[in-house]
Amino acid sequence: MNVTIKDLAEYCGLSMSAVSKALNGYSDISDATRVAVLKAAKELDYHPNAHARALKSGRSYNLGVLFSDDSQSGLTHPFFSVVLEYFKREAEQSGYDITFIGHRMGSGRITYLDHCRYREVDGVCMACTNWEEPEAIELANSGIPVVTIDQIIGDLPYVESDNVSGMRQLMEYIFSMGHRKIAYLYGDKNTVTGVRLNAFWDMIREQGIEIPPEYLICCEYTRPSQVYKATVRLLEMPDRPTCVMVCDDYAAAGALRAVSEAGLRVPEDISITGFDGIEQMQSFHPRLTTVYQDAPRIGREAARKLIARVEGQAYDTATSVPSRLIRGETLKRLN
């Protein structure tokens, strides 16, 4: 027979209200009472009834996550997989489950908004989404609590990595190492790419540098094969760059391969930099010079902000998570 909250309250010698507050982390319950209730719940193998809790609170305790990049790589994406993992951890610590929102429901197709309604989510985190897609816009404007990552939509709350500061730190370091012939393999069109490109050109103008148009090539994020081809083009130029900035760390593997196959070395013959600071790329030699984005904090902040909005608590509309330079071994100092 399942243990009820009434059974737990009688076992603890407390009211059902006090036990409920202890289980749900209310601040007007002492730490000693909370510890005692949690200990008793474990001893009695008590598990809260999710359906009853939903009926009482009017919430499903279910958060939607919309990750709709073109490659559908949310769970394997080297940067966003970490963001999503820490979003999940933070949500679970607050008693929420996670549902991934998509277009599929069995063999049929469903809109993002209808999927959210079907799953009765309390709120949605929208990350790495095609923000021009009508269904994404519909969801953002639906009235369902939404938090975005790396995208500003009207007055919706958002969490972003400080891409401007990251680009400035990286390029100031590149300049300090004597580089002026700098190529940039920037990411495919989205908000983050636009922010980084603007920061790139601002830094170039501040230095009074002329950059040939052919030094700038658009490549998809996390596509080493595209970066490989672009780097080959750069290496074949009569006046090739001394430094190649790549849109992300994972794709930078393609640049490193192109340099190696050309019989050249990094950084002795050409310098390479990345962006993201993913752990895997810091394990290779030479260690990649890059910008670390705090993916765990981005995920946690997004979950906290969304839960606060769902529960009617105060929250900051905008959170910019600091980034920092990683001075690896792939950037050479020029004479």
Side-chain angles (χ1 to χ4, degrees):
M1 183 176 178
N2 291 335
V3 176
T4 67
I5 193 170
K6 181 180 179 181
D7 298 328
L8 183 59
E10 290 176 352
Y11 183 85
C12 295
L14 298 169
S15 68
M16 290 173 59
S17 175
V19 169
S20 177
K21 288 183 176 182
L23 292 172
N24 290 288
Y26 280 72
S27 60
D28 57 343
I29 293 295
S30 69
D31 290 340
T33 299
R34 183 176 296 106
V35 169
V37 170
L38 293 175
K39 182 173 181 292
K42 185 175 182 180
E43 291 172 352
L44 297 179
D45 196 27
Y46 167 77
H47 299 283
N49 186 300
H51 182 63
R53 182 174 68 156
L55 287 174
K56 182 177 179 180
S57 65
R59 297 199 296 270
S60 66
Y61 291 90
N62 186 17
L63 301 178
V65 173
L66 175 59
F67 186 103
S68 60
D69 72 325
D70 292 338
S71 61
Q72 297 296 310
S73 61
L75 296 177
T76 58
H77 192 289
F79 174 72
F80 273 102
S81 62
V82 180
V83 173
L84 298 178
E85 171 62 25
Y86 281 85
F87 179 93
K88 176 177 177 289
R89 291 187 189 185
E90 187 68 31
E92 289 176 342
Q93 286 179 3
S94 298
Y96 285 80
D97 291 323
I98 301 298
T99 292
F100 283 91
I101 302 302
H103 279 138
R104 290 293 172 188
M105 182 61 64
S107 60
R109 192 182 189 282
I110 192 170
T111 68
Y112 295 144
L113 179 56
D114 284 343
H115 195 174
C116 289
R117 288 171 173 165
Y118 178 80
R119 293 300 184 187
E120 298 182 331
V121 299
D122 292 327
V124 182
C125 175
M126 300 176 68
C128 200
T129 299
N130 178 0
W131 304 101
E132 297 178 356
E133 186 178 11
E135 289 185 13
I137 297 172
E138 178 187 41
L139 176 56
N141 295 330
S142 68
I144 294 176
V146 168
V147 167
T148 66
I149 293 179
D150 277 337
Q151 174 70 24
I152 301 174
I153 302 179
D155 59 355
L156 291 179
Y158 66 92
V159 180
E160 65 174 358
S161 178
D162 193 343
N163 284 284
V164 173
S165 173
M167 285 292 289
R168 294 192 71 89
Q169 291 178 64
L170 178 59
M171 294 189 70
E172 285 172 358
Y173 183 44
I174 292 171
F175 294 146
S176 74
M177 297 292 275
H179 294 270
R180 295 298 182 270
K181 294 162 62 176
I182 304 165
Y184 185 23
L185 307 184
Y186 59 92
D188 45 323
K189 183 182 178 182
N190 62 31
T191 301
V192 170
T193 295
V195 169
R196 293 183 189 174
L197 266 174
N198 287 337
F200 174 85
W201 284 118
D202 285 345
M203 295 294 288
I204 292 298
R205 283 190 289 267
E206 288 176 17
Q207 291 292 318
I209 300 172
E210 293 290 333
I211 298 293
E214 57 269 24
Y215 275 17
L216 272 76
I217 304 174
C218 179
C219 300
E220 286 185 59
Y221 288 106
T222 67
R223 285 291 185 272
S225 59
Q226 288 193 10
V227 168
Y228 168 82
K229 293 176 183 177
T231 305
V232 169
R233 286 166 55 187
L234 293 172
L235 295 176
E236 291 174 347
M237 292 179 181
D239 187 23
R240 73 185 185 207
T242 61
C243 177
V244 179
M245 297 173 59
V246 181
C247 53
D248 68 89
D249 288 1
Y250 186 73
L256 296 172
R257 175 188 158 207
V259 173
S260 176
E261 290 185 2
L264 303 173
R265 296 177 300 166
V266 174
E268 290 84 354
D269 300 306
I270 190 166
S271 295
I272 303 290
T273 67
F275 210 102
D276 283 347
I278 62 174
E279 184 177 356
Q280 298 94 318
M281 291 301 293
Q282 290 299 303
S283 301
F284 288 95
H285 178 76
R287 198 162 53 88
L288 187 66
T289 296
T290 187
V291 173
Y292 174 73
Q293 299 191 95
D294 195 342
R297 182 177 170 187
I298 292 170
R300 289 194 299 265
E301 292 285 355
R304 290 169 185 164
K305 199 182 298 290
L306 183 56
I307 291 168
R309 190 175 186 201
V310 165
E311 297 183 352
Q313 301 172 6
Y315 58 88
D316 294 328
T317 301
T319 300
S320 183
V321 177
S323 54
R324 61 177 172 83
L325 175 70
I326 296 179
R327 298 191 180 195
E329 303 163 335
T330 57
L331 187 66
K332 176 184 177 181
R333 179 179 295 279
L334 301 182
N335 294 330

mmCIF file of all heavy atoms in Angstrom, residues 198-237:
data_model
loop_
_atom_site.group_PDB
_atom_site.id
_atom_site.type_symbol
_atom_site.label_atom_id
_atom_site.label_comp_id
_atom_site.label_asym_id
_atom_site.label_seq_id
_atom_site.Cartn_x
_atom_site.Cartn_y
_atom_site.Cartn_z
ATOM 1 N N ASN A 198 29.845 41.620 -35.426
ATOM 2 C CA ASN A 198 29.902 43.046 -35.105
ATOM 3 C C ASN A 198 31.088 43.359 -34.202
ATOM 4 O O ASN A 198 31.786 44.362 -34.393
ATOM 5 C CB ASN A 198 28.601 43.503 -34.439
ATOM 6 C CG ASN A 198 27.435 43.581 -35.405
ATOM 7 O OD1 ASN A 198 27.628 43.705 -36.618
ATOM 8 N ND2 ASN A 198 26.220 43.494 -34.891
ATOM 9 N N ALA A 199 31.315 42.487 -33.217
ATOM 10 C CA ALA A 199 32.452 42.684 -32.316
ATOM 11 C C ALA A 199 33.770 42.556 -33.082
ATOM 12 O O ALA A 199 34.727 43.308 -32.833
ATOM 13 C CB ALA A 199 32.394 41.675 -31.173
ATOM 14 N N PHE A 200 33.826 41.604 -34.008
ATOM 15 C CA PHE A 200 35.034 41.423 -34.832
ATOM 16 C C PHE A 200 35.349 42.699 -35.612
ATOM 17 O O PHE A 200 36.477 43.200 -35.562
ATOM 18 C CB PHE A 200 34.819 40.249 -35.796
ATOM 19 C CG PHE A 200 35.919 40.047 -36.793
ATOM 20 C CD1 PHE A 200 37.036 39.308 -36.471
ATOM 21 C CD2 PHE A 200 35.842 40.611 -38.067
ATOM 22 C CE1 PHE A 200 38.067 39.115 -37.398
ATOM 23 C CE2 PHE A 200 36.856 40.430 -38.997
ATOM 24 C CZ PHE A 200 37.974 39.678 -38.660
ATOM 25 N N TRP A 201 34.351 43.233 -36.316
ATOM 26 C CA TRP A 201 34.592 44.428 -37.120
ATOM 27 C C TRP A 201 34.889 45.651 -36.267
ATOM 28 O O TRP A 201 35.697 46.511 -36.654
ATOM 29 C CB TRP A 201 33.404 44.689 -38.051
ATOM 30 C CG TRP A 201 33.366 43.777 -39.231
ATOM 31 C CD1 TRP A 201 32.412 42.869 -39.561
ATOM 32 C CD2 TRP A 201 34.367 43.683 -40.266
ATOM 33 N NE1 TRP A 201 32.741 42.204 -40.717
ATOM 34 C CE2 TRP A 201 33.939 42.683 -41.174
ATOM 35 C CE3 TRP A 201 35.582 44.334 -40.489
ATOM 36 C CZ2 TRP A 201 34.676 42.333 -42.299
ATOM 37 C CZ3 TRP A 201 36.335 43.983 -41.624
ATOM 38 C CH2 TRP A 201 35.874 42.993 -42.510
ATOM 39 N N ASP A 202 34.279 45.735 -35.098
ATOM 40 C CA ASP A 202 34.596 46.850 -34.189
ATOM 41 C C ASP A 202 36.068 46.813 -33.802
ATOM 42 O O ASP A 202 36.751 47.854 -33.791
ATOM 43 C CB ASP A 202 33.730 46.768 -32.927
ATOM 44 C CG ASP A 202 32.287 47.189 -33.164
ATOM 45 O OD1 ASP A 202 32.013 47.806 -34.219
ATOM 46 O OD2 ASP A 202 31.431 46.895 -32.303
ATOM 47 N N MET A 203 36.571 45.624 -33.481
ATOM 48 C CA MET A 203 37.976 45.490 -33.092
ATOM 49 C C MET A 203 38.903 45.767 -34.269
ATOM 50 O O MET A 203 39.956 46.399 -34.105
ATOM 51 C CB MET A 203 38.223 44.081 -32.547
ATOM 52 C CG MET A 203 37.489 43.771 -31.257
ATOM 53 S SD MET A 203 38.074 44.774 -29.872
ATOM 54 C CE MET A 203 39.675 44.027 -29.563
ATOM 55 N N ILE A 204 38.533 45.317 -35.451
ATOM 56 C CA ILE A 204 39.351 45.557 -36.636
ATOM 57 C C ILE A 204 39.449 47.060 -36.919
ATOM 58 O O ILE A 204 40.527 47.601 -37.209
ATOM 59 C CB ILE A 204 38.774 44.816 -37.864
ATOM 60 C CG1 ILE A 204 38.911 43.290 -37.682
ATOM 61 C CG2 ILE A 204 39.437 45.274 -39.157
ATOM 62 C CD1 ILE A 204 40.332 42.790 -37.575
ATOM 63 N N ARG A 205 38.317 47.755 -36.828
ATOM 64 C CA ARG A 205 38.307 49.209 -37.067
ATOM 65 C C ARG A 205 39.129 49.945 -36.014
ATOM 66 O O ARG A 205 39.844 50.909 -36.334
ATOM 67 C CB ARG A 205 36.867 49.727 -37.083
ATOM 68 C CG ARG A 205 36.116 49.426 -38.394
ATOM 69 C CD ARG A 205 34.804 50.164 -38.459
ATOM 70 N NE ARG A 205 33.827 49.611 -37.518
ATOM 71 C CZ ARG A 205 32.955 48.673 -37.849
ATOM 72 N NH1 ARG A 205 32.913 48.176 -39.087
ATOM 73 N NH2 ARG A 205 32.091 48.222 -36.945
ATOM 74 N N GLU A 206 39.034 49.509 -34.774
ATOM 75 C CA GLU A 206 39.808 50.155 -33.710
ATOM 76 C C GLU A 206 41.306 50.056 -33.968
ATOM 77 O O GLU A 206 42.074 50.956 -33.616
ATOM 78 C CB GLU A 206 39.467 49.533 -32.355
ATOM 79 C CG GLU A 206 38.087 49.907 -31.829
ATOM 80 C CD GLU A 206 37.751 49.195 -30.534
ATOM 81 O OE1 GLU A 206 38.689 48.680 -29.874
ATOM 82 O OE2 GLU A 206 36.561 49.151 -30.164
ATOM 83 N N GLN A 207 41.712 48.945 -34.571
ATOM 84 C CA GLN A 207 43.134 48.737 -34.867
ATOM 85 C C GLN A 207 43.546 49.369 -36.194
ATOM 86 O O GLN A 207 44.736 49.425 -36.505
ATOM 87 C CB GLN A 207 43.440 47.240 -34.903
ATOM 88 C CG GLN A 207 43.356 46.553 -33.558
ATOM 89 C CD GLN A 207 44.449 46.994 -32.606
ATOM 90 O OE1 GLN A 207 45.605 47.150 -32.996
ATOM 91 N NE2 GLN A 207 44.091 47.210 -31.354
ATOM 92 N N GLY A 208 42.579 49.818 -36.990
ATOM 93 C CA GLY A 208 42.886 50.406 -38.291
ATOM 94 C C GLY A 208 43.447 49.400 -39.276
ATOM 95 O O GLY A 208 44.299 49.734 -40.106
ATOM 96 N N ILE A 209 42.953 48.166 -39.203
ATOM 97 C CA ILE A 209 43.461 47.080 -40.042
ATOM 98 C C ILE A 209 42.563 46.890 -41.258
ATOM 99 O O ILE A 209 41.337 47.018 -41.166
ATOM 100 C CB ILE A 209 43.523 45.763 -39.240
ATOM 101 C CG1 ILE A 209 44.452 45.915 -38.032
ATOM 102 C CG2 ILE A 209 43.997 44.595 -40.114
ATOM 103 C CD1 ILE A 209 44.410 44.714 -37.102
ATOM 104 N N GLU A 210 43.171 46.559 -42.386
ATOM 105 C CA GLU A 210 42.426 46.198 -43.588
ATOM 106 C C GLU A 210 42.380 44.680 -43.690
ATOM 107 O O GLU A 210 43.426 44.012 -43.672
ATOM 108 C CB GLU A 210 43.094 46.779 -44.835
ATOM 109 C CG GLU A 210 43.054 48.311 -44.912
ATOM 110 C CD GLU A 210 41.652 48.831 -45.166
ATOM 111 O OE1 GLU A 210 40.837 48.087 -45.769
ATOM 112 O OE2 GLU A 210 41.358 49.974 -44.742
ATOM 113 N N ILE A 211 41.172 44.122 -43.775
ATOM 114 C CA ILE A 211 40.997 42.678 -43.889
ATOM 115 C C ILE A 211 40.418 42.361 -45.267
ATOM 116 O O ILE A 211 39.339 42.842 -45.616
ATOM 117 C CB ILE A 211 40.043 42.135 -42.801
ATOM 118 C CG1 ILE A 211 40.619 42.376 -41.409
ATOM 119 C CG2 ILE A 211 39.763 40.652 -43.015
ATOM 120 C CD1 ILE A 211 41.860 41.584 -41.101
ATOM 121 N N PRO A 212 41.119 41.566 -46.093
ATOM 122 C CA PRO A 212 40.568 41.195 -47.409
ATOM 123 C C PRO A 212 39.251 40.447 -47.255
ATOM 124 O O PRO A 212 39.108 39.632 -46.337
ATOM 125 C CB PRO A 212 41.650 40.279 -47.996
ATOM 126 C CG PRO A 212 42.892 40.570 -47.217
ATOM 127 C CD PRO A 212 42.440 40.966 -45.853
ATOM 128 N N PRO A 213 38.286 40.710 -48.103
ATOM 129 C CA PRO A 213 36.983 40.023 -48.006
ATOM 130 C C PRO A 213 37.110 38.504 -48.018
ATOM 131 O O PRO A 213 36.329 37.807 -47.357
ATOM 132 C CB PRO A 213 36.229 40.521 -49.240
ATOM 133 C CG PRO A 213 36.875 41.816 -49.601
ATOM 134 C CD PRO A 213 38.318 41.670 -49.217
ATOM 135 N N GLU A 214 38.095 37.989 -48.753
ATOM 136 C CA GLU A 214 38.230 36.530 -48.848
ATOM 137 C C GLU A 214 38.741 35.904 -47.546
ATOM 138 O O GLU A 214 38.765 34.676 -47.414
ATOM 139 C CB GLU A 214 39.158 36.146 -50.008
ATOM 140 C CG GLU A 214 40.543 36.741 -49.945
ATOM 141 C CD GLU A 214 40.631 38.085 -50.670
ATOM 142 O OE1 GLU A 214 39.580 38.757 -50.806
ATOM 143 O OE2 GLU A 214 41.755 38.438 -51.093
ATOM 144 N N TYR A 215 39.132 36.730 -46.586
ATOM 145 C CA TYR A 215 39.545 36.217 -45.274
ATOM 146 C C TYR A 215 38.342 35.849 -44.414
ATOM 147 O O TYR A 215 38.515 35.222 -43.361
ATOM 148 C CB TYR A 215 40.379 37.258 -44.528
ATOM 149 C CG TYR A 215 41.854 37.270 -44.847
ATOM 150 C CD1 TYR A 215 42.357 36.645 -45.980
ATOM 151 C CD2 TYR A 215 42.763 37.920 -44.009
ATOM 152 C CE1 TYR A 215 43.706 36.671 -46.275
ATOM 153 C CE2 TYR A 215 44.118 37.956 -44.294
ATOM 154 C CZ TYR A 215 44.593 37.331 -45.428
ATOM 155 O OH TYR A 215 45.940 37.363 -45.708
ATOM 156 N N LEU A 216 37.148 36.255 -44.811
ATOM 157 C CA LEU A 216 35.941 35.954 -44.051
ATOM 158 C C LEU A 216 35.099 34.927 -44.808
ATOM 159 O O LEU A 216 34.718 35.160 -45.951
ATOM 160 C CB LEU A 216 35.114 37.218 -43.793
ATOM 161 C CG LEU A 216 35.494 37.983 -42.518
ATOM 162 C CD1 LEU A 216 36.794 38.751 -42.734
ATOM 163 C CD2 LEU A 216 34.385 38.913 -42.079
ATOM 164 N N ILE A 217 34.856 33.792 -44.170
ATOM 165 C CA ILE A 217 34.110 32.705 -44.805
ATOM 166 C C ILE A 217 33.067 32.176 -43.822
ATOM 167 O O ILE A 217 33.380 31.902 -42.657
ATOM 168 C CB ILE A 217 35.046 31.553 -45.223
ATOM 169 C CG1 ILE A 217 36.163 32.071 -46.146
ATOM 170 C CG2 ILE A 217 34.257 30.439 -45.910
ATOM 171 C CD1 ILE A 217 37.214 31.022 -46.480
ATOM 172 N N CYS A 218 31.843 32.029 -44.302
ATOM 173 C CA CYS A 218 30.764 31.498 -43.467
ATOM 174 C C CYS A 218 30.833 29.971 -43.442
ATOM 175 O O CYS A 218 30.917 29.335 -44.487
ATOM 176 C CB CYS A 218 29.403 31.956 -43.995
ATOM 177 S SG CYS A 218 28.001 31.315 -43.041
ATOM 178 N N CYS A 219 30.796 29.405 -42.254
ATOM 179 C CA CYS A 219 30.776 27.952 -42.070
ATOM 180 C C CYS A 219 29.722 27.618 -41.015
ATOM 181 O O CYS A 219 29.519 28.390 -40.082
ATOM 182 C CB CYS A 219 32.132 27.427 -41.589
ATOM 183 S SG CYS A 219 33.521 27.739 -42.699
ATOM 184 N N GLU A 220 29.095 26.470 -41.143
ATOM 185 C CA GLU A 220 28.132 26.049 -40.136
ATOM 186 C C GLU A 220 28.862 25.727 -38.831
ATOM 187 O O GLU A 220 29.975 25.200 -38.840
ATOM 188 C CB GLU A 220 27.369 24.807 -40.588
ATOM 189 C CG GLU A 220 26.334 25.049 -41.662
ATOM 190 C CD GLU A 220 25.544 23.786 -41.948
ATOM 191 O OE1 GLU A 220 24.911 23.262 -41.017
ATOM 192 O OE2 GLU A 220 25.579 23.324 -43.095
ATOM 193 N N TYR A 221 28.205 26.048 -37.718
ATOM 194 C CA TYR A 221 28.745 25.653 -36.423
ATOM 195 C C TYR A 221 28.851 24.131 -36.344
ATOM 196 O O TYR A 221 28.056 23.406 -36.925
ATOM 197 C CB TYR A 221 27.835 26.147 -35.295
ATOM 198 C CG TYR A 221 27.891 27.641 -35.063
ATOM 199 C CD1 TYR A 221 26.848 28.461 -35.455
ATOM 200 C CD2 TYR A 221 28.996 28.231 -34.447
ATOM 201 C CE1 TYR A 221 26.885 29.832 -35.238
ATOM 202 C CE2 TYR A 221 29.054 29.595 -34.236
ATOM 203 C CZ TYR A 221 27.993 30.399 -34.635
ATOM 204 O OH TYR A 221 28.039 31.757 -34.430
ATOM 205 N N THR A 222 29.856 23.672 -35.611
ATOM 206 C CA THR A 222 30.120 22.242 -35.357
ATOM 207 C C THR A 222 30.234 21.432 -36.642
ATOM 208 O O THR A 222 29.815 20.274 -36.705
ATOM 209 C CB THR A 222 29.048 21.608 -34.437
ATOM 210 O OG1 THR A 222 27.789 21.558 -35.110
ATOM 211 C CG2 THR A 222 28.900 22.384 -33.142
ATOM 212 N N ARG A 223 30.793 22.049 -37.690
ATOM 213 C CA ARG A 223 30.985 21.340 -38.964
ATOM 214 C C ARG A 223 32.467 21.377 -39.336
ATOM 215 O O ARG A 223 32.902 22.216 -40.108
ATOM 216 C CB ARG A 223 30.154 21.980 -40.071
ATOM 217 C CG ARG A 223 28.674 21.692 -39.997
ATOM 218 C CD ARG A 223 28.400 20.217 -40.320
ATOM 219 N NE ARG A 223 26.969 19.951 -40.370
ATOM 220 C CZ ARG A 223 26.226 19.609 -39.337
ATOM 221 N NH1 ARG A 223 26.789 19.501 -38.130
ATOM 222 N NH2 ARG A 223 24.942 19.368 -39.457
ATOM 223 N N PRO A 224 33.276 20.452 -38.770
ATOM 224 C CA PRO A 224 34.703 20.422 -39.089
ATOM 225 C C PRO A 224 34.974 20.287 -40.586
ATOM 226 O O PRO A 224 35.964 20.838 -41.082
ATOM 227 C CB PRO A 224 35.212 19.194 -38.324
ATOM 228 C CG PRO A 224 34.249 19.033 -37.196
ATOM 229 C CD PRO A 224 32.918 19.447 -37.756
ATOM 230 N N SER A 225 34.103 19.577 -41.319
ATOM 231 C CA SER A 225 34.333 19.378 -42.752
ATOM 232 C C SER A 225 34.264 20.705 -43.508
ATOM 233 O O SER A 225 35.063 20.934 -44.435
ATOM 234 C CB SER A 225 33.310 18.402 -43.324
ATOM 235 O OG SER A 225 31.979 18.886 -43.139
ATOM 236 N N GLN A 226 33.344 21.581 -43.136
ATOM 237 C CA GLN A 226 33.248 22.880 -43.792
ATOM 238 C C GLN A 226 34.450 23.757 -43.444
ATOM 239 O O GLN A 226 35.003 24.452 -44.297
ATOM 240 C CB GLN A 226 31.944 23.589 -43.401
ATOM 241 C CG GLN A 226 30.707 22.983 -44.017
ATOM 242 C CD GLN A 226 29.503 23.892 -43.871
ATOM 243 O OE1 GLN A 226 29.617 25.049 -43.481
ATOM 244 N NE2 GLN A 226 28.334 23.373 -44.205
ATOM 245 N N VAL A 227 34.835 23.726 -42.180
ATOM 246 C CA VAL A 227 35.993 24.524 -41.752
ATOM 247 C C VAL A 227 37.268 23.994 -42.405
ATOM 248 O O VAL A 227 38.164 24.769 -42.756
ATOM 249 C CB VAL A 227 36.095 24.531 -40.216
ATOM 250 C CG1 VAL A 227 37.441 25.090 -39.762
ATOM 251 C CG2 VAL A 227 34.952 25.353 -39.621
ATOM 252 N N TYR A 228 37.353 22.687 -42.577
ATOM 253 C CA TYR A 228 38.498 22.090 -43.272
ATOM 254 C C TYR A 228 38.629 22.678 -44.678
ATOM 255 O O TYR A 228 39.701 23.139 -45.084
ATOM 256 C CB TYR A 228 38.330 20.581 -43.343
ATOM 257 C CG TYR A 228 39.292 19.878 -44.268
ATOM 258 C CD1 TYR A 228 40.576 19.554 -43.853
ATOM 259 C CD2 TYR A 228 38.913 19.565 -45.578
ATOM 260 C CE1 TYR A 228 41.468 18.916 -44.723
ATOM 261 C CE2 TYR A 228 39.789 18.932 -46.446
ATOM 262 C CZ TYR A 228 41.063 18.609 -46.016
ATOM 263 O OH TYR A 228 41.940 17.996 -46.870
ATOM 264 N N LYS A 229 37.531 22.681 -45.439
ATOM 265 C CA LYS A 229 37.556 23.195 -46.815
ATOM 266 C C LYS A 229 37.894 24.684 -46.837
ATOM 267 O O LYS A 229 38.661 25.151 -47.687
ATOM 268 C CB LYS A 229 36.207 22.944 -47.485
ATOM 269 C CG LYS A 229 35.897 21.473 -47.722
ATOM 270 C CD LYS A 229 34.498 21.290 -48.291
ATOM 271 C CE LYS A 229 34.155 19.817 -48.462
ATOM 272 N NZ LYS A 229 32.760 19.625 -48.951
ATOM 273 N N ALA A 230 37.323 25.435 -45.894
ATOM 274 C CA ALA A 230 37.586 26.873 -45.844
ATOM 275 C C ALA A 230 39.044 27.145 -45.509
ATOM 276 O O ALA A 230 39.680 28.049 -46.086
ATOM 277 C CB ALA A 230 36.677 27.534 -44.817
ATOM 278 N N THR A 231 39.611 26.355 -44.605
ATOM 279 C CA THR A 231 41.014 26.547 -44.225
ATOM 280 C C THR A 231 41.940 26.198 -45.383
ATOM 281 O O THR A 231 42.961 26.872 -45.599
ATOM 282 C CB THR A 231 41.349 25.694 -42.990
ATOM 283 O OG1 THR A 231 40.441 26.002 -41.929
ATOM 284 C CG2 THR A 231 42.775 25.967 -42.512
ATOM 285 N N VAL A 232 41.600 25.162 -46.139
ATOM 286 C CA VAL A 232 42.386 24.825 -47.331
ATOM 287 C C VAL A 232 42.423 26.007 -48.286
ATOM 288 O O VAL A 232 43.482 26.348 -48.844
ATOM 289 C CB VAL A 232 41.804 23.573 -48.031
ATOM 290 C CG1 VAL A 232 42.438 23.381 -49.411
ATOM 291 C CG2 VAL A 232 42.020 22.329 -47.172
ATOM 292 N N ARG A 233 41.286 26.662 -48.492
ATOM 293 C CA ARG A 233 41.228 27.852 -49.356
ATOM 294 C C ARG A 233 42.144 28.952 -48.832
ATOM 295 O O ARG A 233 42.877 29.599 -49.599
ATOM 296 C CB ARG A 233 39.790 28.370 -49.442
ATOM 297 C CG ARG A 233 38.868 27.525 -50.292
ATOM 298 C CD ARG A 233 37.402 27.888 -50.080
ATOM 299 N NE ARG A 233 37.139 29.308 -50.308
ATOM 300 C CZ ARG A 233 35.972 29.885 -50.049
ATOM 301 N NH1 ARG A 233 34.973 29.156 -49.535
ATOM 302 N NH2 ARG A 233 35.796 31.160 -50.304
ATOM 303 N N LEU A 234 42.128 29.162 -47.531
ATOM 304 C CA LEU A 234 42.968 30.204 -46.947
ATOM 305 C C LEU A 234 44.454 29.880 -47.116
ATOM 306 O O LEU A 234 45.267 30.763 -47.416
ATOM 307 C CB LEU A 234 42.636 30.375 -45.456
ATOM 308 C CG LEU A 234 41.251 30.932 -45.122
ATOM 309 C CD1 LEU A 234 41.004 30.850 -43.616
ATOM 310 C CD2 LEU A 234 41.111 32.374 -45.595
ATOM 311 N N LEU A 235 44.811 28.621 -46.929
ATOM 312 C CA LEU A 235 46.210 28.218 -47.027
ATOM 313 C C LEU A 235 46.740 28.317 -48.453
ATOM 314 O O LEU A 235 47.957 28.475 -48.662
ATOM 315 C CB LEU A 235 46.384 26.786 -46.511
ATOM 316 C CG LEU A 235 46.105 26.556 -45.018
ATOM 317 C CD1 LEU A 235 46.212 25.076 -44.682
ATOM 318 C CD2 LEU A 235 47.061 27.380 -44.160
ATOM 319 N N GLU A 236 45.834 28.231 -49.428
ATOM 320 C CA GLU A 236 46.245 28.303 -50.827
ATOM 321 C C GLU A 236 46.386 29.738 -51.332
ATOM 322 O O GLU A 236 46.862 29.953 -52.448
ATOM 323 C CB GLU A 236 45.234 27.547 -51.701
ATOM 324 C CG GLU A 236 45.268 26.031 -51.481
ATOM 325 C CD GLU A 236 44.173 25.314 -52.228
ATOM 326 O OE1 GLU A 236 43.223 26.007 -52.716
ATOM 327 O OE2 GLU A 236 44.220 24.070 -52.342
ATOM 328 N N MET A 237 46.008 30.718 -50.525
ATOM 329 C CA MET A 237 46.113 32.115 -50.947
ATOM 330 C C MET A 237 47.565 32.555 -51.005
ATOM 331 O O MET A 237 48.376 32.174 -50.150
ATOM 332 C CB MET A 237 45.350 33.015 -49.974
ATOM 333 C CG MET A 237 43.853 32.828 -49.996
ATOM 334 S SD MET A 237 43.026 33.909 -48.791
ATOM 335 C CE MET A 237 41.317 33.415 -49.054
#
